[in-house]
Amino acid sequence: MRRLAVPFLLAAVLAGCSTPTPGKPSASDQTGSAPATGTSAGTAPVNRPKSVDLLTLDPCSLITPEKKAALGLRKVEPGTPLPVYGEGSKRCNGVYAEIKYLADIHTLVNGGVDRLKRTTGESKLTSLQVAGYPAYLTQREAPGGAPVCEVYIDAHEGQLLLVDAGGMFSEKSATPEGACTQAKALAEAVATELATK
């Protein structure tokens, strides 16, 4: 009788651990609520110069007039946020004086590094540091074949700052390397400013 009780007790405990509470999202479908552990990958604390809640951030504020001139941006203005990045996300559009590339800064408020690795694929991401922040670089082609380079900055638990640069659709001389040069320079400038917020 005792031998039967142990497996039943173990099964009851495990069921209690794995059954989601009604009305509460499970770990796989959380969209923006972040645990207060300070861990992005759920295993170790994330070392950031400063953790900034992106729900309160205007991404265009990260491009000061000095940075705009240094980066060769002709125009920086708010853009339409993409719903896929979560309710409350924001977007800033940039146009370079040399109109070969365009730039965007997005606040992703519905998931952090874990979500990025699931949706993009960990094998497509290159880890790097940007102004002291952990970051991830990936490349893709926009519709029409224009090269796009994306840098995801781990700015806050469960949130990412996406900085990208891509070639103009009609600009045949834009290259993946050129897009990444622009994206990395923009990401460095943006992350440096982010740490002052």
Side-chain angles (χ1 to χ4, degrees):
M1 185 70 167
R2 209 173 198 178
R3 286 185 194 163
L4 288 175
V6 172
F8 283 120
L9 180 61
L10 184 59
V13 169
L14 291 175
C17 291
S18 62
T19 304
T21 306
K24 291 203 172 193
S26 67
S28 61
D29 61 12
Q30 283 184 344
T31 57
S33 60
T37 60
T39 62
S40 193
T43 54
V46 177
N47 188 13
R48 304 178 183 97
K50 185 178 182 182
S51 184
V52 179
D53 184 357
L54 299 184
L55 283 168
T56 65
L57 179 78
D58 170 10
C60 285
S61 72
L62 299 174
I63 303 293
T64 62
E66 297 78 21
K67 290 187 190 305
K68 181 180 170 186
L71 292 164
L73 288 163
R74 180 172 54 85
K75 184 165 53 170
V76 174
E77 60 188 7
T80 304
L82 300 178
V84 71
Y85 295 148
E87 187 176 343
S89 69
K90 298 177 191 76
R91 177 180 186 171
C92 185
N93 297 332
V95 178
Y96 288 93
E98 179 188 332
I99 310 192
K100 188 185 296 186
Y101 298 97
L102 296 173
D104 289 301
I105 306 168
H106 299 270
T107 57
L108 282 64
V109 295
N110 61 350
V113 173
D114 286 346
R115 182 176 187 272
L116 173 65
K117 288 178 178 179
R118 282 195 316 270
T119 56
T120 301
E122 198 165 351
S123 63
K124 295 180 182 176
L125 297 169
T126 301
S127 298
L128 61 153
Q129 287 276 319
V130 178
Y133 283 93
Y136 300 86
L137 181 142
T138 188
Q139 293 177 285
R140 64 178 175 84
E141 280 190 2
V148 178
C149 190
E150 300 172 323
V151 179
Y152 293 85
I153 300 168
D154 189 350
H156 188 275
E157 179 63 28
Q159 300 176 350
L160 296 167
L161 190 65
L162 166 58
V163 177
D164 68 43
M168 297 281 287
F169 294 122
S170 59
E171 182 57 65
K172 302 298 183 192
S173 61
T175 65
E177 295 76 19
C180 279
T181 297
Q182 301 286 47
K184 286 178 184 177
L186 181 58
E188 187 75 26
V190 161
T192 302
E193 190 66 23
L194 183 69
T196 69
K197 297 294 183 185

